[in-house]
Amino acid sequence: MRTPVPDYLAEVLDDVAGDRSGAVADYIPDLAAADPEVLGVAVTTVAGRTHVAGDADVEFSIQSISKPFAYAAALADRGVETVDATVGVEPSGEAFDELSLEAGTRRPKNPMINAGAIAVHHLLVGPDATGADRVERIVGLLSELAGRRLTIDESVYRSELDTADRNLAIAHMLRNYRVLDRPAAEVVDGYTRQCAVLVTVRDLALMGATLANAGVHPVTGRRMLPAAVARRTLSVMAGCGMYDGAGDWLVRVGIPAKSGVAGGLLGALPGQVGLAVVSPRLDAHGNSVRGVQVCERLSRDTGMHLMDAEPYGSTVLRGSTVDGDATVVTLQGVVQFSGAEAVLDHLAVEPIGTTEVVLDLTRVDRLSDVGRRMLLEGLRRLADDGHTVAVVDPDGVLPDPELGDGTRPRVRT
Ligand code: GLN
């Protein structure tokens, strides 16, 4: 059998292909030469499988889609306090290239508009980094995420730098308010190179899948970013990624996303997929017209929307049986707060007539940190009540099950 997923993606592209509205960006002369007909989509699951349709191997400049990754790198390099002191996380409700700062703090409002992204670029690596160090940091990270060495489109870079008056104005404004401590021209040069990195939708979907997978690369299994950094980056994408179209986007699509003026669009749905679309004609917000349509369609058809929740908790407690003098409580799936709560509630409410209580974790795929702490506390309380406690854990999902008082449950494999 051939998996139907790519056929589905091709069908989605077919449906939007006829829409020729919008216009390619022309404020960067080189972008005006882009083929407006290019249309491609890629989806990468957090298990590392990629499905594509259309122009999945056509390269285009990443542009603003580099911003969430630069933000993530700056968080990893400089820590959240330094980054927070430099740039906010509030949706701006303004165009991407607005010359504006937050009243009071004089920080750029968020890292997804140019003012914030220029400030973030200058934070990369460390205070003593050179312009080249910062560029290598971001190109290196993007390359590792894409699983191949990415290059800078020199012609796009030069074309944008030649006409970068607005970004230079933003950088001078930032320097005036001491947000930047490097020369405006040096930072804009590096930021412009960052934007000129060539990618395909295949690359972007893979990059997005790392964000969706809490910072772990879905193919290599390597941790690329701390989980807290991936979460913060996705949060900012959800609020600010689509510029002044962000609220509408969150309601209609509900996938943290970032668009770029070359027509790329990246989405990442936590725990599920990274996805990317390319189609160079843009709407009034500077977002790809057909890219937005493809994402709307995917979200609607597949239920991929941040606010579409599955009832995790109720499925964790598989059953409870009495086996001789033991009550065996069987758990399954992924145990987070609500699943552990259901198990603890069962143990608290159902009368236990046996000496021993066994938690059978054989079918548990993963215990979150809170799930682990809650189950251990439950076992400790059962032991306090006079029960002997045991776990069946052949895969070691509950390593080192110390009950907080030096004792441990009996472990059966
Ligand atoms: N390099 C572009 C700029 O700074 C990025 C803007 C974008 O993709 N929205 O103007």
Side-chain angles (χ1 to χ4, degrees):
M1 186 207 85
R2 229 164 34 91
T3 169
V5 177
D7 301 337
Y8 163 68
L9 293 176
E11 205 182 291
V12 173
L13 291 190
D14 267 356
D15 282 357
V16 304
D19 188 336
R20 299 203 155 69
S21 62
V24 299
D26 58 5
Y27 76 104
I28 300 171
D30 222 67
L31 293 185
D35 175 1
E37 298 307 328
V38 164
L39 179 62
V41 62
V43 174
T44 300
T45 67
V46 294
R49 286 183 293 275
T50 296
H51 304 285
V52 302
D55 299 319
D57 297 304
V58 170
E59 289 189 320
F60 53 93
S61 53
I62 189 168
Q63 298 296 342
S64 286
I65 304 170
S66 64
K67 292 171 180 173
F69 299 102
Y71 183 60
L75 285 166
D77 293 351
R78 304 296 294 272
V80 71
E81 266 175 44
T82 302
V83 174
D84 266 354
T86 307
V87 60
V89 293
E90 293 301 329
S92 71
E94 291 165 349
F96 70 91
D97 56 357
E98 200 60 42
L99 270 99
S100 73
L101 296 176
E102 209 168 62
T105 66
R106 299 208 160 135
R107 297 175 307 176
K109 288 191 183 131
N110 68 65
M112 302 298 149
I113 54 172
N114 288 7
I118 290 168
V120 162
H121 179 85
H122 119 284
L123 288 180
L124 291 174
V125 188
D128 301 325
T130 63
D133 292 340
R134 291 191 289 269
V135 171
E136 179 45 37
R137 169 69 171 123
I138 184 63
V139 179
L141 175 63
L142 294 171
S143 298
E144 274 190 85
L145 291 169
R148 68 185 186 103
R149 182 67 197 180
L150 301 175
T151 57
I152 290 173
D153 185 324
E154 290 295 326
S155 148
V156 168
Y157 156 70
R158 295 211 172 280
S159 172
E160 180 165 1
L161 201 61
D162 284 347
T163 54
D165 299 301
R166 198 170 177 97
N167 284 337
L168 277 166
I170 291 172
H172 282 295
M173 171 186 72
L174 293 172
R175 197 161 149 85
N176 175 56
Y177 288 114
R178 309 229 175 326
V179 179
L180 292 192
D181 56 16
R182 303 294 309 163
E186 176 190 302
V187 180
V188 169
D189 184 275
Y191 164 77
T192 306
R193 287 181 193 273
Q194 168 188 316
C195 289
V197 170
L198 286 171
V199 290
T200 66
V201 285
R202 229 183 247 284
D203 298 326
L204 289 179
L206 199 47
M207 295 177 189
T210 297
L211 292 178
N213 197 33
V216 174
H217 195 285
V219 174
T220 64
R222 266 190 64 201
R223 174 158 297 286
M224 305 298 300
L225 298 164
V229 166
R231 184 171 88 170
R232 186 175 247 267
T233 303
L234 288 172
S235 305
V236 174
M237 285 166 70
C240 321
M242 301 300 276
Y243 307 120
D244 38 0
D248 193 42
W249 175 264
L250 188 55
V251 170
R252 283 195 305 179
V253 181
I255 299 175
K258 187 70 206 78
S259 61
V261 288
L265 210 163
L266 162 85
L269 193 65
Q272 295 209 52
V273 300
L275 62 92
V277 193
V278 61
S279 171
R281 290 194 202 88
L282 309 178
D283 64 17
H285 302 299
N287 299 325
S288 164
V289 173
R290 296 189 296 192
V292 169
Q293 288 171 2
V294 167
C295 291
E296 277 177 359
R297 171 82 196 267
L298 287 178
S299 168
R300 202 170 54 235
D301 288 354
T302 64
M304 287 197 286
H305 188 296
L306 267 190
M307 304 306 167
D308 241 351
E310 283 302 320
Y312 297 113
S314 57
T315 60
V316 163
L317 182 63
R318 185 176 170 92
S320 178
T321 54
V322 173
D323 179 11
D325 196 27
T327 298
V328 182
V329 179
T330 305
L331 281 59
Q332 64 185 6
V334 178
V335 185
Q336 294 170 314
F337 172 81
S338 52
E341 187 279 334
V343 173
L344 295 179
D345 184 70
H346 174 79
L347 292 168
V349 171
E350 296 297 319
I352 301 172
T354 59
T355 314
E356 187 166 52
V357 179
V358 182
L359 291 189
D360 186 345
L361 306 179
T362 309
R363 292 169 187 270
V364 170
D365 300 307
R366 213 174 63 76
L367 258 183
S368 71
D369 183 52
V370 69
R372 165 191 166 83
R373 285 184 281 131
M374 288 171 75
L375 293 185
L376 288 175
E377 177 63 14
L379 290 171
R380 194 184 65 76
R381 290 182 180 214
L382 288 167
D384 272 358
D385 291 349
H387 295 286
T388 55
V389 292
V391 295
V392 183
D393 187 15
D395 296 332
V397 294
L398 182 64
D400 190 28
E402 209 266 322
L403 297 187
D405 58 1
T407 68
R408 282 155 206 282
R410 205 157 57 76
V411 179
R412 298 205 242 140
T413 51

